[in-house]
Amino acid sequence: GAGVSQTPSNKVTEKGKYVELRCDPISGHTALYWYRQSLGQGPEFLIYFQGTGAADDSGLPNDRFFAVRPEGSVSTLKIQRTERGDSAVYLCASSFLTGGADTQYFGPGTRLTVL
Amino acid sequence: GQNIDQPTEMTATEGAIVQINCTYQTSGFNGLFWYQQHAGEAPTFLSYNVLDGLEEKGRFSSFLSRSKGYSYLLLKELQMKDSASYLCAVRVVSGGSYIPTFGRGTSLIVHP
């Protein structure tokens, strides 16, 4: 079946602009995670959803970052007033459960570059 | 917060065995994962340990000691395609949330 997909694959924007990054999880997966990864670092947790609600958003760095998952499937990560420090690869992952041996399946990521 | 430590880089020879260590300090431990990530690609799941001991899966094995806060990933019969970054991730449970924290990854270079 289809894996996790993310669009766009690359996004170049100017400082101060607004961007939206989209994630389509694997069908039937109730949990959805957003991470960002900088070069030479591991993925850094941002937020995760269980169904439609944000179960934990403690990783969002500040209030410029926001994410939604209105119908419990597709999710959008929104970044306002982008800064150069936001440049990174944004990864989305989904899993069937959130405990036990649940395996997170990652999408290919969106490479965000803020000029 | 969580503290996860793994070596930055390792090199090994094709056909050999390599062990990648991961140490962690955390509260609310709820499992440890290993992922493989090739350059420019997404991480892919390798293994999961929640109880002490060794989990074997083909050429890859993973070990966990919760009392020592220690895990390792063992790769046997190394192949060139095993050159990648290996990420150790610790999941904690807090207030009903299951949050994974990743180490910075170990870049493994396999040479002929």
Side-chain angles (χ1 to χ4, degrees), chain B residues 2-107:
Chain B
Q2 279 44 257
N3 186 34
I4 299 173
D5 192 39
Q6 50 182 132
T8 302
E9 186 176 292
M10 299 181 71
T11 59
T13 305
E14 190 176 17
I17 299 173
V18 71
Q19 177 174 312
I20 303 174
N21 296 324
C22 172
T23 58
Y24 64 90
Q25 294 174 308
T26 187
S27 58
F29 177 84
N30 189 254
L32 186 144
F33 297 79
W34 284 95
Y35 286 82
Q36 180 190 61
Q37 186 175 29
H38 285 99
E41 298 182 11
T44 55
F45 170 80
L46 290 178
S47 69
Y48 167 73
N49 295 71
V50 67
L51 300 177
D52 292 351
L54 187 69
E55 294 283 340
E56 298 186 82
K57 190 186 296 184
R59 294 190 299 115
F60 291 38
S61 302
S62 58
F63 171 83
L64 174 67
S65 169
R66 289 170 297 170
S67 62
K68 295 182 179 178
Y70 168 69
S71 173
Y72 67 72
L73 179 69
L74 193 71
L75 293 76
K76 304 175 187 175
E77 302 169 15
L78 281 173
Q79 302 175 10
M80 298 296 290
K81 68 178 183 179
D82 296 330
S83 293
S85 180
Y86 291 85
L87 300 163
C88 171
V90 173
R91 186 176 64 199
V92 300
V93 58
S94 176
S97 295
Y98 295 82
I99 305 300
T101 299
F102 284 80
R104 61 188 302 163
T106 297
S107 178

Side-chain angles (χ1 to χ4, degrees), chain A residues 36-85:
Chain A
R36 71 177 175 183
Q37 187 174 26
S38 300
L39 192 63
Q41 303 293 320
E44 172 194 5
F45 168 77
L46 296 177
I47 183 172
Y48 97 92
F49 292 85
Q50 181 61 42
T52 60
D56 193 310
D57 64 358
S58 62
L60 294 177
N62 51 60
D63 61 6
R64 295 187 298 106
F65 290 74
F66 188 70
V68 296
R69 194 186 186 198
E71 298 178 357
S73 178
V74 171
S75 177
T76 305
L77 179 66
K78 308 179 181 191
I79 310 175
Q80 299 177 321
R81 304 183 303 281
T82 52
E83 300 177 356
R84 293 194 178 87

